[in-house]
Amino acid sequence: MSDWLERELTRGLPPLTAPDALKIRLGLAPAPRRELPRGVLAVAAAVVMIIGGGYAAGRSSALDLRQNSARSLRFPKNVELVAFNPASPHAPGQPWPLRCDGGASASLSASSPLSIGNATVWLAHSASEPHSQALSNLDAGCHQCHSL
Amino acid sequence: MTRMVLDRTERELIGKCRLGDRDAFRALFEAHQDKIYSIALRFSGNQALAMDIAQDTFLKLFSSLSDFRGDAAFSTWVYRLVVNSCLDHKRRSWRMMPMADEVIAVLRAPGDALHALLHSEMQGRVQGAIEKLPADQRIVVVLRYTEGLSYEEIAEVLGCSLGTVASRLNRAHKVLERRLSQWKGNSYV
């Protein structure tokens, strides 16, 4: 063998240093912790808050009964709409006020679709099952009065 | 005297490893990691494969420490383990890829990299030529030039005769001379 080859092989195949990854693979050193930059966490938190705030605001607007538009109500059973407040009896042709505050119960006529125009619809909580069923079918979008 | 001290230290280390001493495992690893990784990478020419070979070697080493009877030097036993891992992986066959990473890294390096480039290019050619050798010739070349083992030590590691080692090296030298001589003019000082 020539001296040149001996020299090239010695230079070309020197010993190497093992990488740290080998020690980690064998469990002899802990894997390096990946730390997220603080800015990334702050941005993620801000995004979550914005999304959560937007959702909550949307829910609030749904809960604002004054924003609800009129709906055409249909009921599976015969229900009778009754004005329960003797101080302000219902005049024919006038919109039916329905309270959603646990006060007056209300029944609605199912003989024909009842359109209440732009009136605010309040759904009353009722201990009576028929009323509960009728009222549970009403959807004024208030999201509050259907757990009867 | 130094060898006796090292042997005693190694014996103590092996004894502690057998008792499950984690610090002893770590010390044994650090004593042999470069040697095992060097042989694995020079033999396979592929970093990912070298990591696999090195990991397999250490796992075998740690799990079979009780089999080491001390009739040969511990380093000889370690060499045998890594050689067997290399040949096992070769038998499962893989595609040999030249180590181009070093050349690319030098090309990207700023400053006067001409000398480093030439050095790295030739290293790449040597490594590439080694990888084309049959496994039995390749392993003796790596043990000889990467680890600097003598013919006798190589024979002890491989469990073959001195004549077999000499024959394999002789055949490997002829092939390498033929493959690398075209770049003889590019030799650097």
Side-chain angles (χ1 to χ4, degrees), chain A residues 75-106:
Chain A
F75 307 100
K77 295 180 181 178
N78 288 332
V79 292
E80 184 182 353
L81 183 63
V82 176
F84 206 67
N85 186 356
S88 56
H90 177 256
Q94 293 299 312
W96 291 96
L98 304 173
R99 284 168 51 187
C100 187
D101 59 356
S105 62

Side-chain angles (χ1 to χ4, degrees), chain A residues 101-139:
Chain A
D101 59 356
S105 62
S107 57
L108 304 170
S109 171
S111 57
S112 61
L114 172 66
S115 173
I116 56 174
N118 290 324
T120 298
V121 177
W122 291 326
L123 302 178
H125 294 282
S126 171
S128 165
E129 185 182 358
H131 287 286
S132 299
Q133 286 181 345
L135 292 171
S136 69
N137 289 328
L138 300 180
D139 182 11

Side-chain angles (χ1 to χ4, degrees), chain A:
Chain A
M1 183 182 64
S2 66
D3 292 337
W4 171 84
L5 182 62
E6 175 93 23
R7 193 173 60 244
E8 293 301 333
L9 291 179
T10 305
R11 282 179 176 174
L13 300 172
L16 302 160
T17 304
D20 291 338
L22 182 58
K23 190 185 279 189
I24 294 170
R25 277 175 73 158
L26 288 164
L28 296 174
R33 287 182 56 190
R34 287 187 181 181
E35 293 187 6
L36 289 175
R38 287 184 184 176
V40 172
L41 291 174
V43 169
V47 168
V48 169
M49 286 175 63
I50 289 169
I51 292 173
Y55 178 70
R59 291 275 299 177
S60 297
S61 61
L63 289 170
D64 186 351
L65 301 178
R66 288 170 292 183
Q67 294 184 15
N68 286 316
S69 59
R71 293 164 192 262
S72 184
L73 305 174
R74 292 179 183 275
F75 307 100
K77 295 180 181 178
N78 288 332
V79 292
E80 184 182 353
L81 183 63
V82 176
F84 206 67
N85 186 356
S88 56
H90 177 256
Q94 293 299 312
W96 291 96
L98 304 173
R99 284 168 51 187
C100 187
D101 59 356
S105 62
S107 57
L108 304 170
S109 171
S111 57
S112 61
L114 172 66
S115 173
I116 56 174
N118 290 324
T120 298
V121 177
W122 291 326
L123 302 178
H125 294 282
S126 171
S128 165
E129 185 182 358
H131 287 286
S132 299
Q133 286 181 345
L135 292 171
S136 69
N137 289 328
L138 300 180
D139 182 11
C142 68
H143 304 293
Q144 278 192 326
C145 305
H146 300 279
S147 303
L148 301 175

